[in-house]
Amino acid sequence: ATNGRRKRRTDATPKAAGSRAKKPRAGAHSGNDYASPGAGSKRGARARRAWSIGMWPDIDNPQGPAHMSREETHAAAQYVIESDRLTVWNDKGYRMAKASHGVETGAWYFEAQILPGVRPEANLRIGWSQISGELQAPCGYDVFSYSMRASPCTRFHAAIGSHYGVEFGPGDTIGVLMYLPELDNDERQDLADRKWRPGERYRQFTYSRPESQRPPHADDELPPLPVLAGSELVYFKNGKCLGPAFQKLYLGKYYPAISSYMGGKVKVNLGPDFKFPPPAVWHKDTKIQAISELEFTLPEPTKADEVVGEVNSAEVAGEVKSAEAVESAVEVKSAETVEAAETAKPTETVETVDPAEPKPELATTQALDSAPTTDSIAEPTPETAAEPTEPKHVTDADATTDVTQDESSSVMDTTQNQPSADSVVPADPSEQPPSDSGEVKSSPPSAELKSKLVIDVQPEPSTDQTSSAEPTNDQMPNAI
C-alpha cells in the first residue's frame, strides 16, 4: 500500500482446468472488458464489491523514433498500419491503435491528418489512451481513454458521449493537446508500481484502494484511479482551438490513440514539424512538446563501456575479474622487464674456429701427454721435432742405440697418457716412419737420457726388423 490509499496486487492463480467457474455478477468486470459506468448498478452493490479495477502493466518507451505501434499491447490485430508506421486504418468495426511512446506529465501535442475513407460509411475517433484501454473497442469506451468522434461531433469517455466541437472529415487536420500537471511523490510511486518488470510474466493485475477512500455518494462504477487536478485535454481543428474537451483526467501513462470504423483512415504526425503548430506554452509556463521529442537512442557502447559491462557481469555471476586483471598486468610487466634486461645485456662474441686448426683443448692435452715426468728430461718441443733433419748414415752402434731408444720410449708410453691419434705433431720424434732409404729421421738422445733409460728400464724384445738379435747392455756402446 502507498500511504494506505492504494495498492497493486497481482491476480490470483487461475483455477485448474475443468473447475466450475462462477457466473459473473451484473456489472462486474471480466478480463479487460469493462462495463459502462452505471451498468448493472444496484442498491447495496457497494457493500458487496471491493473498490478495485483490472489493469495491464505499463511499459517503458522503446528506443528509436515515435510511431504507431504494431505491438499486441498497442494495436488490435485487425488494424492496418502501413509501411510509414504513421498511416492507420481498419475496414471492420471500431478497433484501436496506439503510438509507441507515452507520457505521464507535461504538455504534449500531435496532429491527425484525415484521409479519404476506404468505405463511404467510414468514421473515426481520435484521442489518448492508457495501455489498459480496450483495443477491440473504440477509444473512449472505458475509463482509460478519451476521444472525439468525427461525425457526429461527440466526445467520449467511459462509453459516455456528449456533444463537443465541430465535425471533421477528409482534408482536415485535428490537433490534440494533453496537459498533465507535475506529479507528487505518491503519484510518481503509483505509476512506478504499475510498470511491468522485465523477467515477470506480462499479465493483468488488480488495482485497488481502500473502500473508505471512495467518495461519498459516488457512483458504484467510479474507478479507484486517482484524479489529477488541473489536467485537461484540448482539441484543435485546422489550427483553431475548440476548448477543453475533458478535465480532471485519471492518473496514468497516456498514448496517442486512433480508432477507425469501416475504413476510416488517418495519417498521424507526431512532430516536430506540424501543419498547424500549437502555442509555445500552456498554462503560462509549461512548454508544449511534440511526441517525437520522446525519441531516444542509446549511444553505441565504447571500449570502456564494454569493459565495465564485462566486469559488472562478472560481479553478478560471482566471478572476480579484478584479481585476474592484476595478475595479468603483473605478468605483462614482468615480461616487459625481462625483455628490457635481455635487450640491455651485452652481446656475446662467438669466435669462429677454423676446422684446420687444432682445438685448444686438444693442444693442451697433447702438451700434457708429451711433457716428461719429474724423473726425465724435457724432450724436444714439437717445433724442434717437426723440423726435418739432414739424413745421415748410422753405424751398427748407432743402430743399437736407436733400438734401445725406441724400446725405452715404448716403456715410457705405458706409464704416461699416449698422445691423441688426432694430434697434429707426434709427441715422440722416433715414431716418424722411416724413409724409403731405411734412414730414421730423429734427433739423437743425450748421454744423460741414455743412462737414465738403461738404469730404470729393462729392455724388452725389439720388434724392429732392422735387428735380428736382442741387444744387451754390454753390447750397447757408450750406454753408461
Side-chain angles (χ1 to χ4, degrees), residues 405-424:
Q405 180 180 349
D406 293 340
E407 294 174 353
S408 302
S409 297
S410 62
V411 174
M412 293 178 62
D413 291 341
T414 59
T415 60
Q416 300 181 9
N417 292 329
Q418 296 184 0
S420 172
D422 298 333
S423 300
V424 178

Side-chain angles (χ1 to χ4, degrees), residues 33-182:
D33 294 327
Y34 303 109
S36 301
S41 22
K42 297 180 180 180
R43 187 185 299 264
R46 178 183 302 178
R48 295 194 304 268
R49 219 174 32 237
W51 198 28
S52 62
I53 192 172
M55 298 180 67
W56 292 93
D58 286 324
I59 301 175
D60 290 333
N61 292 335
Q63 294 187 60
H67 57 277
M68 298 303 292
S69 176
R70 294 188 176 95
E71 296 293 333
E72 60 182 358
T73 55
H74 287 64
Q78 303 89 338
Y79 226 92
V80 177
I81 301 177
E82 296 187 358
S83 59
D84 61 358
R85 300 195 298 179
L86 296 174
T87 303
V88 296
W89 57 278
N90 168 55
D91 63 350
K92 302 290 185 180
Y94 268 121
R95 303 289 189 273
M96 183 167 61
K98 308 167 190 173
S100 57
H101 292 59
V103 299
E104 297 175 348
T105 182
W108 300 90
Y109 181 84
F110 75 94
E111 285 183 343
Q113 181 183 356
I114 312 304
L115 302 178
V118 177
R119 297 183 180 184
E121 63 271 28
N123 210 339
L124 293 164
R125 290 192 191 184
I126 300 172
W128 294 79
S129 174
Q130 297 186 32
I131 200 169
S132 296
E134 179 57 52
L135 300 177
Q136 299 292 333
C139 186
Y141 169 76
D142 49 39
V143 298
F144 300 107
S145 58
Y146 304 83
S147 69
M148 181 178 72
R149 186 171 61 186
S151 179
C153 50
T154 310
R155 59 185 176 187
F156 284 93
H157 171 64
I160 297 177
S162 60
H163 178 77
Y164 170 80
V166 294
E167 292 186 3
F168 57 88
D172 292 330
T173 299
I174 302 300
V176 190
L177 170 66
M178 174 174 277
Y179 171 73
L180 302 172
E182 190 68 25

